[in-house]
Amino acid sequence: MTARYTLHGFFMSGPTYKVGLMLTLCGERFDYVSLNLREGQHKTPEFLKLNRFGQVPALVDTSNGKALCQSAAILDYLADKTGQFGGSTLDERLRAREWLYWGWDKLDAPIYRLRGWKRGFRQLEPVQVAMYETERKAALDTLEAWFTAGHHWLAGEHATIADIDLYGAVIYAPESGEDLAAYPAIKGWLTRLEGLPHFVPMSALLPPESRKAE
Ligand SMILES: N[C@@H](CCC(=O)N[C@@H](CS)C(=O)NCC(=O)O)C(=O)O
């Protein structure tokens, strides 16, 4: 059976993992197209038709021909289409989206940039490293306080797109130089999310090559 969705991405990309994880948790099969960022495949005219920002991921919904970009917006779309992880009340939907926007503002940037620097993909001056380390600590402290206060999930009583999105940033913290030893409540939340049906870890979800849905 033809898969409804095609995910275009890169196996080391956190935002690509977020979308792949959402699809997987929703039980959606998807074709995967691997782009070589070093060769600039995300800047070709063909790819810019899918993602005008020239970034991965991009998701194509073959049922209606829509091409979507920005992982948080894609998660929102998939929640709408699948009826899963969107939050079951207006309050939950609002809270989930507040966390999504907060994540991109405060959490993802320091973790992804320090990870890129550690892996040699990005140059940072010592003053920038210090700034991102301070920002990473502040963001992780915010999350730790939330879960220490007794919340199991970010919005309501069940996992939502907020948990999937922020998981796809926090899971890269060790590669950014923060092993999370000082964050037991965050680690408990990571374990809860990893216990959801159909969960697949980042190391197993995205191959370095393109793959058709099984
Ligand atoms: N906010 C975007 C971020 C996407 C992003 O930063 N993608 C990186 C790979 S992880 C990329 O394509 N970088 C190449 C570029 O920006 O030119 C999203 O969530 O989709």
Side-chain angles (χ1 to χ4, degrees):
M1 198 174 75
T2 312
R4 171 171 174 173
Y5 295 104
T6 305
L7 173 60
H8 298 251
F10 177 57
F11 74 107
M12 289 180 65
S13 154
T16 307
Y17 175 59
K18 291 179 181 195
V19 176
L21 180 60
M22 175 70 178
L23 287 162
T24 304
L25 291 173
C26 290
E28 289 285 347
R29 298 159 63 254
F30 61 95
D31 291 334
Y32 176 64
V33 178
S34 174
L35 277 83
N36 187 330
L37 302 193
R38 288 192 195 94
E39 289 179 3
Q41 290 179 346
H42 53 314
K43 305 293 182 192
T44 63
E46 297 75 38
F47 186 73
L48 289 172
K49 286 182 198 153
L50 305 183
N51 183 338
R52 61 193 172 284
F53 304 119
Q55 293 183 308
V56 291
L59 185 77
V60 176
D61 181 345
T62 63
S63 75
N64 55 21
K66 282 189 194 308
L68 299 126
C69 64
Q70 291 294 329
S71 58
I74 298 173
L75 263 51
D76 212 345
Y77 178 82
L78 290 172
D80 189 57
K81 290 296 170 195
T82 64
Q84 298 183 69
F85 298 110
S88 44
T89 64
L90 177 61
D91 274 359
E92 282 183 17
R93 290 198 292 277
L94 287 171
R95 292 289 97 82
R97 282 147 188 81
E98 288 167 2
W99 279 111
L100 280 187
Y101 301 130
W102 174 85
W104 271 107
D105 188 24
K106 299 291 186 189
L107 177 74
D108 295 52
I111 289 180
Y112 287 162
R113 289 186 182 145
L114 287 168
R115 174 182 179 240
W117 170 68
K118 286 252 174 204
R119 299 194 71 119
F121 300 146
R122 177 185 282 271
Q123 303 300 313
L124 292 179
E125 296 297 326
V127 64
Q128 293 173 299
V129 172
M131 180 190 75
Y132 285 132
E133 285 175 348
T134 301
E135 289 182 6
R136 181 184 61 195
K137 181 179 185 318
L140 291 173
D141 285 351
T142 299
L143 277 180
E144 182 72 8
W146 178 258
F147 294 120
T148 302
H151 301 105
H152 278 206
W153 302 105
L154 291 169
E157 300 303 313
H158 303 280
T160 64
I161 50 175
D163 299 281
I164 297 167
D165 185 283
L166 271 59
Y167 177 89
V170 172
I171 202 65
Y172 296 95
E175 285 182 42
S176 81
E178 170 51 68
D179 68 5
L180 298 177
Y183 297 99
I186 290 179
K187 286 173 106 173
W189 165 70
L190 297 179
T191 303
R192 278 192 291 285
L193 197 133
E194 288 159 6
L196 293 175
H198 308 302
F199 173 83
V200 179
M202 62 163 168
S203 54
L205 188 59
L206 301 174
E209 67 283 342
S210 298
R211 180 171 70 189
K212 281 279 186 199
E214 287 160 9

